[in-house]
Amino acid sequence: MSTLLQSAPGYRAGHTLPLRVEAVRQLKRRRTLVMGAVLAALPFVLIAAFAIGGTPDGRGNNRITLMDTATASGANFAATCLFVSAGFLLVVPVALFCGDTVASEASWSSLRYLLAAPVPRARLLWSKLAVALGFSAAAMLLLPVVALAAGTVAYGWGPLELPTGGSLATGDTVPRLALVVAFVFVSQLVTAGLAFWLSTRTDAPLGAVGGAVGLTIIGNVLDAVTALGSWRDFLPAHWQFAWADALQPQLEWGGMLKGAAVSVTYALVLFALAFRGFARKDIVS
C-alpha cells in the first residue's frame, strides 16, 4: 500500500495535513477559546482585586516580593502576572494543547481515518506537535501582553521596580519581559513532552492532560523536598523561576541556561518516545 501511494500521481506525504488546516481546526475548538478567555481575563481579575483590597505594600516588612511592586507600573504588573501564573496556570494550556491533540482524534474514532487519508504517522504527529507548541507559545504570550497593556492603562508606563532595590530602565523592560516569557515557554516543554507522549498512549484526552498536569505537580512537590539535595538540580521544577535572574540590574544567565538545558533534554526524550511508540501502535480508533 505504501509503495502504491508513493507512486500515485500528485501524492506527496509532506503535503498531507497542512499546518494551516490543523491550526484552524484547533483554533475553532471550544477549549481553545475558553483557555484564551481565561488567560486574557486574569490581568483584569488582579486589577479588580487590587482595587478592592488596596495597593499591595510589603515595604514595612524585611522582605519585599514582586507582588509588593505589582502596581508600580505596567511592566511590574505584567511581571507579577507571570509570577503568579507560571507555577500552575500556564501549565494547564500547555498540557491541554499537547495532551488533547492526538488522544481527542482517537476518542472521536477519527484517528484511523486520518491515517487512511492517507497521512503518514510521522507527518501527523509533526503537524499536531507543531500546532500544539504554537498554541502553547501563544498562550504564554497572551497573558503578559494583555497584562502589560491593562497594567499600563491602570498604573501607568514606567521603569520596572525591582524587589531587591533599584529599577530597570524603561527601554529595558520589554526585552527583559520577552526573555522571561521565552524561558517560561522553554521550561514548560517538559509538560508539553509529557502530555504529547501520553496523548499517543491513550484514547482518553482527559487522561493525557490530567496525567501531564499531575506529573508536573509531583515534580514541584519533589523539588520542595530539600533532603534530595543536589538531586533537585535534575528536576525541571527546580529551575522554573530561574527567570527572576532576568529581572536584575545585571542580567544573569546561569540559572536560565541550566534550566533550559534540563527542560529541553527531558522534552526531546519524551517527544522521541511519542514518535517511536506511535509508529508501532496498532490504531483501532
Side-chain angles (χ1 to χ4, degrees), residues 93-115:
V94 175
L96 181 64
F97 294 136
C98 295
D100 179 75
T101 183
V102 178
S104 61
E105 299 285 359
S107 68
W108 298 333
S109 298
S110 59
L111 185 57
R112 57 182 175 180
Y113 295 108
L114 278 176
L115 296 175

Side-chain angles (χ1 to χ4, degrees), residues 159-173:
L160 196 156
E161 292 190 11
L162 305 176
T164 55
S167 62
L168 291 178
T170 304
D172 292 335
T173 55

Side-chain angles (χ1 to χ4, degrees), residues 12-88:
R12 295 182 182 179
H15 289 182
T16 56
L17 195 61
L19 293 179
R20 176 181 57 82
V21 173
E22 178 63 18
V24 171
R25 290 178 67 232
Q26 298 301 325
L27 182 62
K28 291 181 177 180
R29 295 189 58 188
R30 183 177 301 176
R31 49 92 158 149
T32 303
L33 301 177
V34 170
M35 183 53 62
V38 169
L39 293 174
L42 177 63
F44 297 99
V45 172
L46 289 179
I47 289 175
F50 289 143
I52 295 172
T55 301
D57 186 7
R59 301 181 190 281
N61 302 326
N62 293 329
R63 183 180 180 183
I64 299 176
T65 66
L66 193 60
M67 180 66 75
D68 298 320
T69 63
T71 59
S73 68
N76 276 91
F77 182 70
T80 301
C81 286
L82 284 171
F83 174 73
V84 300
S85 60
F88 179 74

Side-chain angles (χ1 to χ4, degrees), residues 117-205:
V119 180
R121 294 192 180 199
R123 172 66 183 180
L124 183 142
L125 286 191
W126 278 119
S127 294
K128 288 191 169 293
L129 178 58
V131 171
L133 290 178
F135 275 86
S136 298
M140 301 290 120
L141 190 60
L142 176 63
L143 176 63
V145 167
V146 174
L148 186 61
T152 299
V153 172
Y155 309 119
W157 178 254
L160 196 156
E161 292 190 11
L162 305 176
T164 55
S167 62
L168 291 178
T170 304
D172 292 335
T173 55
V174 172
R176 293 291 186 93
L177 287 174
L179 179 59
V180 170
V181 173
F183 178 78
V184 171
F185 174 70
V186 172
S187 67
Q188 296 294 346
L189 287 178
V190 178
T191 300
L194 279 169
F196 192 70
W197 174 62
L198 290 173
S199 186
T200 63
R201 304 296 300 176
T202 178
D203 294 349

